[in-house]
């Protein structure tokens, strides 16, 4: 008998306020109006429509301090960088290796937004031994932000499978910025969406038999989730609500997305008051199948390749398929994940 937790779309109802619903309806109407300019294509009207939607989403997000959008929170230079990264991730011509590269850039930018504040953070020092030994061994000293107090209580919570590499990237950033190379513990949750359903009757399924975590290692921790896409927010809510039902009380929850919908961002911050949502880019709506529009396709497939339906890969096979470059760069993270899975 399978051991699965199922959350239905109906369970997500009730998180929105009347003002939230009105804001979402307004944005949906703006998107539908802009869609009229796609057939036939009117580039000027499309640009005008997206500019208006971006401005409206910015205004709406100001009402929600737990939603941090990189393109809304940073200066023009940083916004331009984010826009270029997202454009490359969206592009159907971007191949697998490029997609991994730009995903890494995206999460490095998100990490800096969430954890690095150059104006207020105290400074720490890194002393590095260089290969130069003549006439004596040489060392270099570099100042870095001291953010140990922000990251030393963190646990990476991975919602397989598209979230695997983004989680490893964030964990690597934590290791690099900590004074003692802190390696985050990992908790792995096998959570999926029933893609045969529409948004109105969507189901989210968590398979406990194929998940790997210890409840006692999650209580009182700063839980970090990194998922390329946040559409409805249902997968995250399913995992966290399950943990709360088991008596787990996270100190905080951070959710990192390359792209998020406004609806999904509002929903998770309403459902989970101690959560902050960090997203590189916000998209306006979902279609009836709960796919982000304009989106970037299936991020999990573009990061990991497609599984054969009869032979889905397990977590160890996924790690192996990343290849030498990834396994070398994220060696500590891969060992920690293997330890978590294999015990």
């Amino acid at each position: 008998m399978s051991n699965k937790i199922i959350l239905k779309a109906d369970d997500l109802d009730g998180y929105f306020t009347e003002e939230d619903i009105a804001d979402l309806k307004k944005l949906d109407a703006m998107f539908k109006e802009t869609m009229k300019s796609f057939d036939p294509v009117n580039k000027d009207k499309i640009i005008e429509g997206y500019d208006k939607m971006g401005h409206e989403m910015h205004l709406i997000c100001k009402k929600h301090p737990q939603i941090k959008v990189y393109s809304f929170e940073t200066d023009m230079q940083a916004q331009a960088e984010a826009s270029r990264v997202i454009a490359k991730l969206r592009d159907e011509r971007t191949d697998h290796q490029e997609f991994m590269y730009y995903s890494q850039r995206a999460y490095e930018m998100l990490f800096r937004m969430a954890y690095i504040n150059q104006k207020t953070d105290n400074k720490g020092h890194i002393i590095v031994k260089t290969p130069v030994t003549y006439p004596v061994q040489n060392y270099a000293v570099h100042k870095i932000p001291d953010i140990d107090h922000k990251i030393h209580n963190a646990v990476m919570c991975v919602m397989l499978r598209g979230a695997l590499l983004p989680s490893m990237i964030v964990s690597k950033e934590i290791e690099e910025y900590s004074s003692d190379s802190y390696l985050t513990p990992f908790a792995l949750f096998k959570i999926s969406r029933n893609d045969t359903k529409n948004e109105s009757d969507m189901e989210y399924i968590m398979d406990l038999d194929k998940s790997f975590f210890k409840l006692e290692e999650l209580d009182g921790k700063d839980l970090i989730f990194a998922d390329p896409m946040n559409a409805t927010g249902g997968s995250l809510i399913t995992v966290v609500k399950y943990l709360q039902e088991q008596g787990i009380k996270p100190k905080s929850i951070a959710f990192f997305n390359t792209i998020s919908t406004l609806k999904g961002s509002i929903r998770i911050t309403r459902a989970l008051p101690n959560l902050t949502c960090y997203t590189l880019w916000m998209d306006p709506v979902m279609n009836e199948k709960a796919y982000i529009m304009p989106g970037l396709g299936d991020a999990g497939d573009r990061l990991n390749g497609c599984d054969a339906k009869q032979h889905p890969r397990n977590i160890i096979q996924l790690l192996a398929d990343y290849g030498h470059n990834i396994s070398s760069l994220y060696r500590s993270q891969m060992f920690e994940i293997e330890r978590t899975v294999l015990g």
Side-chain angles (χ1 to χ4, degrees):
M1 182 176 178
S2 63
N3 189 12
K4 296 182 179 179
I5 305 295
I6 299 178
L7 178 75
K8 297 182 181 293
D10 291 346
D11 300 325
L12 298 177
D13 292 344
Y15 290 123
F16 296 120
T17 66
E18 291 184 4
E19 184 178 17
D20 294 339
I21 294 170
D23 286 338
L24 292 169
K25 284 183 176 179
K26 181 177 181 180
L27 198 59
D28 187 61
M30 294 174 72
F31 182 78
K32 288 177 179 176
E33 182 64 28
T34 302
M35 287 290 288
K36 295 176 182 178
S37 300
F38 280 84
D39 189 17
V41 172
N42 185 327
K43 290 184 178 180
D44 290 339
K45 284 289 187 181
I46 292 172
I47 293 171
E48 179 185 348
Y50 271 95
D51 281 345
K52 288 180 178 178
M53 285 187 289
H55 180 69
E56 187 64 29
M57 286 189 289
H58 195 175
L59 292 176
I60 294 170
C61 286
K62 287 182 177 180
K63 306 176 188 178
H64 302 272
Q66 290 170 277
I67 299 175
K68 308 291 186 183
V69 183
Y70 190 91
S71 52
F72 297 162
E73 300 272 339
T74 54
D75 60 30
M76 288 297 295
Q77 183 177 357
Q79 291 167 24
E81 181 186 7
S83 187
R84 188 58 183 157
V85 167
I86 290 293
K88 293 295 290 186
L89 287 168
R90 290 197 202 273
D91 197 329
E92 62 183 2
R93 297 168 297 179
T94 299
D95 64 19
H96 171 64
Q97 290 297 326
E98 273 193 305
F99 196 87
M100 294 176 74
Y101 167 73
Y102 284 106
S103 292
Q104 179 171 313
R105 282 184 59 182
Y107 276 93
E108 289 170 352
M109 293 160 67
L110 284 170
F111 180 87
R112 292 195 298 271
M113 178 177 72
Y115 292 108
I116 309 299
N117 188 328
Q118 299 289 354
K119 294 180 179 179
T120 61
D121 285 330
N122 294 325
K123 296 297 184 288
H125 296 85
I126 294 179
I127 300 176
V128 182
K129 182 190 292 186
T130 80
V132 179
T133 58
Y134 182 82
V136 294
Q137 176 69 59
N138 273 252
Y139 296 84
V141 178
H142 295 274
K143 288 184 179 180
I144 63 167
D146 180 5
I147 60 170
D148 284 354
H149 62 289
K150 299 179 183 179
I151 57 180
H152 268 188
N153 193 48
V155 176
M156 287 305 308
C157 298
V158 187
M159 298 190 295
L160 299 173
R161 68 181 174 89
L164 180 59
L165 184 57
S167 300
M168 291 165 62
I169 295 168
V170 175
S171 176
K172 178 73 170 180
E173 289 297 291
I174 289 174
E175 182 184 16
E176 291 295 316
Y177 273 94
S178 66
S179 64
D180 57 357
S181 298
Y182 174 68
L183 182 60
T184 59
F186 280 81
L188 309 170
F189 301 93
K190 182 65 168 65
I191 181 82
S192 59
R193 205 172 73 174
N194 186 345
D195 285 334
T196 66
K197 302 287 187 178
N198 293 326
E199 185 192 358
S200 60
D201 63 352
M202 186 61 68
E203 292 180 345
Y204 307 88
I205 304 106
M206 184 162 71
D207 191 336
L208 294 176
D209 292 332
K210 296 181 180 179
S211 300
F212 304 91
F213 59 91
K214 295 180 180 179
L215 288 172
E216 64 272 17
E217 294 181 357
L218 301 174
D219 195 30
K221 298 296 185 178
D222 296 310
L223 305 185
I224 301 176
F225 294 81
D227 199 341
M229 313 290 282
N230 172 28
T232 65
S235 296
L236 177 73
I237 295 172
T238 301
V239 172
V240 176
K241 290 296 186 184
Y242 167 77
L243 294 176
Q244 291 174 336
E245 289 169 1
Q246 308 310 305
I248 300 305
K249 297 179 180 179
K251 181 180 178 182
S252 70
I253 304 169
F255 193 28
F256 291 88
N257 316 117
T258 306
I259 293 178
S260 179
T261 63
L262 178 64
K263 187 173 187 178
S265 298
I266 294 176
R267 177 180 277 139
I268 61 174
T269 53
R270 292 289 192 208
L272 306 169
N274 62 337
L275 176 142
T276 303
C277 177
Y278 301 95
T279 186
L280 195 65
W281 203 266
M282 182 163 283
D283 274 1
V285 297
M286 291 174 281
N287 63 16
E288 64 178 17
K289 299 296 289 184
Y291 296 155
I292 296 176
M293 300 290 284
L296 51 73
D298 191 316
D301 286 349
R302 296 184 74 180
L303 278 171
N304 304 307
C306 299
D307 279 343
K309 289 185 179 180
Q310 293 79 10
H311 303 286
R313 291 163 293 173
N314 62 31
I315 183 69
I316 302 300
Q317 290 170 318
L318 278 175
L319 288 171
D321 283 352
Y322 281 142
H324 175 72
N325 289 340
I326 294 297
S327 60
S328 296
L329 185 59
Y330 299 104
R331 184 185 303 272
S332 298
Q333 283 68 35
M334 295 183 74
F335 284 167
E336 183 65 19
I337 291 170
E338 289 175 353
R339 185 196 66 79
T340 302
V341 173
L342 301 176

